[in-house]
Amino acid sequence: MRQTKILCSLVFSLFLFVTFVYGEDPYRFFTWKVTFGDIYPLGVKQRERVLQGILINGQFPGPRIECVTNDNLIISVHNELNEPFLLSWNGIQHRRNSWQDGLSGTNCPIPPGKNFTYVLQVKDQIGSFFYFPSLAMHKAAGGFGGIAIWSRPRIPVPFPPPAGDFTLLAGDWFKRNHTYLRAILNRGHKFPAPDGLLINGRGWNGYTVTVDQGKTYRLRISNVGLTTSINFRIQGHKMKLIEVEGSHTLQNTYTALDIHVGQSYSVLVTADQPAMDYYMVVSSRFTKLVLTTTAVLHYSNSFKGVSGALPWGPTDQIAWSLSQARSIRWNLTASGPRPNPQGSYHYGMIKPARTIRLANSAPIINRMQRYAVNRVSYVPTSTPLKLADYFKIGGIFSVGSISDYPTGGGAYLQTSVMGADFRSFVEIVFENFETTVQSWHIDGHSFFVVGMDGGQWTPASRKGYNLRDTVSRCTTQVYPKSWTAIYMALDNVGMWNIRSEDWARQYLGQQFYLRVFSPANSWRDEYPIPKNALLCGKAAGRHTRPF
């Protein structure tokens, strides 16, 4: 009997060992050195240190992160710049872990000459995203890179494995360095127009994708620019849309695709044309001067370079873009990161407990250009809001310092935080009374874009909502003099940034934080503060945790 008990105890111990050692999700380790370095994005050599671009391990753009659903990413970032630095992860949800979000409201900056290790998990996610530097207009200097999250091997994917997988990071670019652009904004002036467009850090025909004739390839395209919506197309080829920011879509075919600031798309392209080289074109949308750049789609058996006219692309046609946006639908039968079909989550059958209306504006405050949400222009603090909340430090922010709806009166400066209940289901309406396209992003969550239209939103607008198969994503556009409505489950406790992806507007206040709160104070709802968390501001000198 005693031997049996000992044997059972050994078997149980072995089970625990296997569960906790071998049953854990895989880890992927990265060591990144962030430096200034020479770049030639528009053919202009930037010689002085303050004019150089931001490189990661000597690369511009930075290295692509490739991982699988639920992988743990251990990313050690060494800041060798002469100023503080942070990286954020556009579209990564950080389940229960806003400590890793990498924004001024959640993390202390990495000081010059120091390093910080991000410990994050791509929990229950697939798809195409990107990382970027979040402080001090660093995004204008580079420091961004792609993120590709693959499905687990046993989870069915609704298309055959492509012959290759490429990331295309496109967006506007400025010849002036980030310190100059930052100074313009700090003086309260409007942002200048961009000087050009880039594809993977290169100008006209500066980047090449090589394909084999007859094979099909996946292109992951992200708009990593500062202010400008773009259109992407490939000479002589069609694109089959398969994924938008972590959601498999109905596989509609497009010849040109609008991508607004901060958005990411995946398309399949088949090399089914005669063997030669073809233009891949990116052009600006809704700008007075249409900017254009190209990359090259090179057939491996081609001996003929690119030639002919660039394929047509839209310029200022809002109705064209709106029609395309409405055509992007959720693939209800495809599996997402889990084996159950995406459509098994019937978002349209859930009644929102709360409606939040958010109106952007461009006020002048203290004789300086600012941008605001519901009259409030956000002011960052030296103590991250997440740390102030954890250590219960008063005087940093107050929950409810931004209204749920637009109100009359003048705009004002405030460290704005909106409170919300964990596991609530909300309707958010972005209202744009301005004449420019807006792009909005919500950290820590994905949401369903249930409707968008011109004019003023009213409760009657709900009659036109798509409550069946609209796409789930993390970044949405709002057209001029228009509105966009989303449904969102607040299923992720933390301090989450809601912001304009127009980086000048974000820098000058068009953002705020959503505090999703659970009174349980349980690790089941939110992870504890990381042991290695940097402490600054009024949190300096405090302690994280012993284990």
Side-chain angles (χ1 to χ4, degrees):
M1 180 65 70
R2 185 171 182 272
Q3 289 178 335
T4 301
K5 289 182 178 180
I6 293 174
L7 179 60
C8 289
S9 177
L10 288 174
V11 170
F12 181 69
S13 299
L14 180 61
F15 170 78
L16 291 178
F17 177 79
V18 171
T19 299
F20 290 108
V21 176
Y22 294 100
E24 195 171 10
D25 293 308
Y27 282 75
R28 296 177 187 263
F29 295 87
F30 305 84
T31 300
W32 287 355
K33 183 171 69 172
V34 181
T35 61
F36 285 118
D38 289 337
I39 58 175
Y40 309 86
L42 293 174
V44 178
K45 184 174 181 179
Q46 297 168 318
R47 297 179 181 276
E48 300 179 24
R49 181 175 178 80
V50 294
L51 296 177
Q52 293 177 321
I54 294 177
L55 312 180
I56 297 180
N57 289 352
Q59 300 178 41
F60 169 66
R64 182 169 102 159
I65 293 177
E66 295 194 45
C67 54
V68 176
T69 301
N70 292 349
D71 280 358
N72 296 282
L73 309 182
I74 313 300
I75 306 172
S76 181
V77 178
H78 296 258
N79 178 17
E80 298 189 9
L81 307 181
N82 58 1
E83 50 187 304
F85 183 79
L86 269 180
L87 282 175
S88 190
W89 321 89
N90 209 75
I92 303 303
Q93 294 178 10
H94 307 291
R95 308 299 300 177
R96 299 185 292 166
N97 197 14
S98 65
W99 301 105
Q100 307 295 333
D101 205 21
L103 293 164
S104 65
T106 56
N107 296 82
C108 295
I110 307 170
K114 302 294 183 180
N115 77 290
F116 175 74
T117 299
Y118 292 88
V119 181
L120 55 97
Q121 185 181 29
V122 288
K123 180 69 174 173
D124 288 337
Q125 286 192 266
I126 60 166
S128 309
F129 310 96
F130 63 90
Y131 60 86
F132 67 95
S134 61
L135 296 180
M137 292 301 294
H138 285 153
K139 192 179 179 187
F144 45 75
I147 303 174
I149 308 177
W150 302 82
S151 297
R152 288 176 289 175
R154 294 184 180 180
I155 305 299
V157 175
F159 49 86
D165 189 298
F166 300 93
T167 289
L168 299 178
L169 304 175
D172 54 20
W173 191 258
F174 298 76
K175 292 180 180 178
R176 297 284 190 170
N177 67 78
H178 72 282
T179 58
Y180 177 86
L181 297 175
R182 185 170 68 206
I184 289 176
L185 297 177
N186 288 341
R187 290 195 296 267
H189 300 313
K190 289 188 176 181
F191 216 53
D195 296 297
L197 301 174
L198 303 182
I199 301 175
N200 282 358
R202 302 291 184 269
W204 199 274
N205 288 350
Y207 184 79
T208 299
V209 171
T210 300
V211 298
D212 293 334
Q213 193 171 28
K215 294 183 179 180
T216 298
Y217 296 83
R218 180 174 185 169
L219 303 182
R220 303 174 187 260
I221 314 156
S222 295
N223 184 341
V224 297
L226 298 183
T227 65
T228 310
S229 298
I230 60 174
N231 182 269
F232 179 84
R233 53 204 182 270
I234 304 175
Q235 182 184 26
H237 293 73
K238 294 180 180 180
M239 300 177 289
K240 182 183 290 185
L241 184 66
I242 57 170
E243 176 255 329
V244 172
E245 294 163 17
S247 289
H248 287 132
T249 64
L250 291 182
Q251 296 179 10
N252 297 332
T253 298
Y254 300 92
T255 55
L257 194 60
D258 274 359
I259 307 173
H260 302 278
V261 183
Q263 293 184 338
S264 298
Y265 291 82
S266 277
V267 298
L268 294 180
V269 176
T270 300
D272 56 2
Q273 298 300 304
M276 56 180 289
D277 291 356
Y278 296 88
Y279 288 114
M280 296 192 294
V281 184
V282 170
S283 59
S284 61
R285 291 285 268 126
F286 319 115
T287 55
K288 291 181 180 179
L289 174 65
V290 178
L291 301 172
T292 304
T293 195
T294 61
V296 177
L297 184 72
H298 169 68
Y299 279 44
S300 59
N301 58 340
S302 166
F303 295 96
K304 183 179 180 181
V306 289
S307 62
L310 300 183
W312 175 88
T315 54
D316 59 358
Q317 299 91 336
I318 292 175
W320 187 97
S321 188
L322 176 61
S323 176
Q324 181 176 90
R326 288 172 172 166
S327 73
I328 299 173
R329 302 296 183 91
W330 219 23
N331 188 334
L332 297 180
T333 61
S335 297
R338 297 189 179 191
N340 52 301
Q342 293 177 144
S344 61
Y345 183 79
H346 300 287
Y347 69 91
M349 299 178 67
I350 307 173
K351 184 178 180 180
R354 176 181 177 187
T355 295
I356 301 169
R357 293 167 50 207
L358 302 175
N360 51 268
S361 59
I364 302 297
I365 302 177
N366 299 330
R367 299 183 180 180
M368 300 179 71
Q369 179 67 64
R370 296 288 300 187
Y371 297 96
V373 188
N374 288 359
R375 295 176 53 217
V376 185
S377 185
Y378 180 83
V379 178
T381 65
S382 59
T383 305
L385 309 182
K386 186 64 183 167
L387 292 179
D389 201 25
Y390 177 80
F391 290 116
K392 296 179 170 55
I393 302 171
I396 305 298
F397 73 92
S398 60
V399 177
S401 46
I402 181 172
S403 173
D404 278 19
Y405 51 88
T407 58
Y412 57 95
L413 304 174
Q414 178 75 49
T415 302
S416 40
V417 177
M418 182 180 291
D421 296 328
F422 180 43
R423 295 200 176 98
S424 181
F425 191 80
V426 299
E427 174 188 43
I428 300 177
V429 182
F430 297 103
E431 300 181 354
N432 178 20
F433 303 114
E434 300 182 68
T435 58
T436 57
V437 175
Q438 304 292 310
S439 187
W440 284 94
H441 177 89
I442 300 180
D443 277 353
H445 298 79
S446 60
F447 49 74
F448 296 93
V449 185
V450 293
M452 55 176 62
D453 208 345
Q456 172 70 57
W457 179 90
T458 69
S461 302
R462 297 184 179 122
K463 295 178 181 178
Y465 282 4
N466 178 352
L467 299 181
R468 183 176 182 271
D469 65 348
T470 192
V471 72
S472 173
R473 61 187 314 167
C474 60
T475 309
T476 187
Q477 70 273 27
V478 190
Y479 293 103
K481 304 290 185 178
S482 301
W483 57 267
T484 295
I486 67 173
Y487 279 1
M488 185 171 74
L490 300 179
D491 55 1
N492 201 7
V493 173
M495 188 75 70
W496 301 109
N497 190 238
I498 298 182
R499 64 175 176 269
S500 171
E501 288 281 45
D502 181 318
W503 217 240
R505 298 180 76 103
Q506 180 270 355
Y507 185 85
L508 290 182
Q510 193 173 313
Q511 61 170 309
F512 67 96
Y513 282 82
L514 185 71
R515 180 180 181 258
V516 181
F517 177 71
S518 169
N521 193 27
S522 168
W523 287 16
R524 291 175 301 178
D525 296 339
E526 185 177 29
Y527 292 141
I529 187 172
K531 287 196 302 181
N532 70 329
L534 300 175
L535 302 179
C536 57
K538 292 185 178 180
R542 298 174 184 253
H543 301 285
T544 55
R545 57 186 177 90
F547 57 91

